[in-house]
Amino acid sequence: METIRQLEIFQEHIGKEFIDSPSPYMNWLRPIILKADRGQLSFSYIVRKDMTNPMGTLHGGITSSIVDDAIGATMFSLNENCFYTTLNLVVDYFAPAREGDVILADTTIIKKGRQLINAQCEIWNEK
């Protein structure tokens, strides 16, 4: 049986752009892994023009999809041989980011049950 080693793959990419994801969307986002522990990941992203809305700020849909994708990656850090589906995603927006800004996403698992996992992701402008 093949050893599951997703966490180790994240750890090998710390400080590097992560484009080896099975998620084409994560590869498009081009995150840099800052920290990788079981149940906790941190990423940075550079806001590109193709991520912005007509007002020149980070599109809210991109923000929410970063949350969803980063939490999904955090599930992989558990090294389990299964997939999880998002049941509920709540996003509160406090401040905009603009093209060229670096944003940081920190994820953590709040509670892991037998069938459900509650996780959170906070995104901050590096400034």
Side-chain angles (χ1 to χ4, degrees):
M1 176 177 247
E2 184 179 325
T3 303
I4 301 168
R5 52 181 241 93
Q6 289 101 336
L7 177 58
E8 292 80 10
I9 291 169
F10 289 130
Q11 291 170 335
E12 290 167 4
H13 285 83
I14 289 176
K16 302 174 191 167
E17 192 173 85
F18 190 66
I19 54 171
D20 296 328
S21 175
S23 165
Y25 193 73
M26 179 174 264
N27 292 330
W28 178 81
L29 289 169
R30 299 193 315 244
I32 295 172
I33 298 176
L34 303 175
K35 180 179 103 176
D37 294 318
R38 183 176 165 83
Q40 293 185 317
L41 297 176
S42 295
F43 300 97
S44 69
Y45 304 82
I46 297 171
V47 178
R48 304 184 311 263
K49 182 168 181 59
D50 58 342
M51 298 171 144
T52 61
N53 60 28
M55 294 181 297
T57 60
L58 181 63
H59 191 287
I62 300 293
T63 303
S64 64
S65 62
I66 286 173
V67 169
D68 192 50
D69 215 54
I71 287 174
T74 304
M75 298 303 118
F76 275 102
S77 78
L78 299 175
N79 286 338
E80 295 181 357
N81 195 16
C82 60
F83 289 92
Y84 296 91
T85 302
T86 302
L87 298 177
N88 187 32
L89 181 67
V90 177
V91 181
D92 295 317
Y93 301 92
F94 294 110
R98 301 195 174 282
E99 181 180 353
D101 285 353
V102 174
I103 57 171
L104 308 173
D106 293 316
T107 66
T108 190
I109 293 177
I110 305 300
K111 182 179 182 197
K112 183 178 183 300
R114 289 184 300 140
Q115 294 181 323
L116 298 175
I117 297 176
N118 183 275
Q120 76 176 23
C121 176
E122 293 185 353
I123 297 179
W124 303 94
N125 194 317
E126 187 178 54
K127 295 178 189 175

